[in-house]
Amino acid sequence: MSSTHRSMVHTSGNDVVSNKKRALKRTNSFNSLRSSAKEICLGRLKDMKKPSAKSLLENSNLIGIGGSSPKLTISQSSFCLPSLPELDPELTEGIQIFKENHRKGIEYLIEKGKIENTPQSIAGILHEENFDKDSLGAYLSEESSAEILKAYVNSLDFADMDFDLALRKFLTCFKLPGEAQKIDRFMKNFASQYYETHKGE
């Protein structure tokens, strides 16, 4: 075997190992988020008499990660972004400013009369328009955006979804920040909305 061929085989093997490590990291990350959100939901469900809601959480299976479970193709546009008419120039400009500085982007949209300075109005446009996921996650995770985050999550519809699917779809809407405290804010709001949606089942 030539040295070039051995080098190619070695590189290919490294790529496979690297891909497996990344997949395992994603699996562990989702499992951690899943456990955190389920713990919050189960805490709220502990006094419920109907067992079906509890079993929805306790018996839910991890979908599309490891094992032989079928993988899900999740369309962000069908969940986070309703179909809307073409954006006007000022709205497009506001979305671009938001990508570079989310606070200034929101201030610009308020100044131009595109939204009102209320959590519901701000959350509404963040839910309806195609804002940069990194900036959206950073903005919603701030402590000062707590009411906006709550309104944003409350605008999401988790009806007819089991726990894992709801969590997966939730995580397609933005890029989750890295800090544990900020992640916890997202998970608490998700768990609360999921509970409110399914508490009567």
Side-chain angles (χ1 to χ4, degrees):
M1 182 183 295
S2 68
S3 60
T4 301
H5 187 240
R6 284 196 300 271
S7 177
M8 290 175 64
V9 171
H10 180 69
T11 301
S12 178
N14 286 341
D15 289 343
V16 171
V17 172
S18 179
N19 288 337
K20 286 183 177 180
K21 286 182 177 180
R22 284 196 293 269
L24 180 61
K25 185 177 181 180
R26 287 195 298 269
T27 299
N28 291 338
S29 177
F30 182 82
N31 283 338
S32 177
L33 294 173
R34 180 176 180 264
S35 297
S36 174
K38 286 182 73 171
E39 183 178 348
I40 296 169
C41 278
L42 287 170
R44 298 197 66 181
L45 289 167
K46 65 182 180 180
D47 296 324
M48 291 183 65
K49 295 181 180 180
K50 293 184 178 182
S52 58
K54 279 189 177 182
S55 63
L56 181 67
L57 300 177
E58 292 169 343
N59 299 324
S60 63
N61 295 317
L62 192 60
I63 301 175
I65 293 183
S68 59
S69 300
K71 289 191 176 183
L72 273 166
T73 300
I74 299 173
S75 170
Q76 180 192 7
S77 60
S78 65
F79 183 68
C80 303
L81 305 174
S83 298
L84 293 175
E86 186 175 350
L87 301 183
D88 65 65
E90 289 182 340
L91 188 52
T92 302
E93 179 69 14
I95 291 173
Q96 182 58 39
I97 295 173
F98 183 89
K99 182 177 180 179
E100 298 167 0
N101 186 311
H102 41 264
R103 286 288 168 192
K104 288 184 178 179
I106 294 299
E107 290 172 1
Y108 174 87
L109 292 170
I110 293 172
E111 179 185 330
K112 296 299 180 180
K114 302 303 175 183
I115 53 174
E116 297 176 5
N117 191 13
T118 66
Q120 291 72 25
S121 182
I122 295 172
I125 199 168
L126 293 176
H127 174 64
E128 292 171 354
E129 305 296 346
N130 192 17
F131 284 84
D132 178 72
K133 282 188 177 184
D134 291 82
S135 296
L136 182 57
Y139 177 66
L140 291 175
S141 68
E142 292 180 352
E143 190 171 359
S144 58
S145 298
E147 290 302 313
I148 298 169
L149 173 60
K150 181 178 179 180
Y152 179 87
V153 177
N154 288 349
S155 70
L156 302 176
D157 184 9
F158 299 124
D160 301 319
M161 296 183 195
D162 67 18
F163 187 84
D164 291 324
L165 177 58
L167 180 57
R168 282 179 175 277
K169 281 185 171 282
F170 177 61
L171 296 175
T172 65
C173 296
F174 48 82
K175 183 175 180 180
L176 205 63
E179 296 88 339
Q181 186 177 21
K182 293 182 177 182
I183 292 173
D184 189 55
R185 293 189 192 117
F186 279 98
M187 291 301 100
K188 284 181 178 178
N189 279 275
F190 164 77
S192 178
Q193 176 67 355
Y194 187 86
Y195 164 81
E196 290 299 325
T197 302
H198 293 277
K199 64 181 181 180
E201 297 179 2

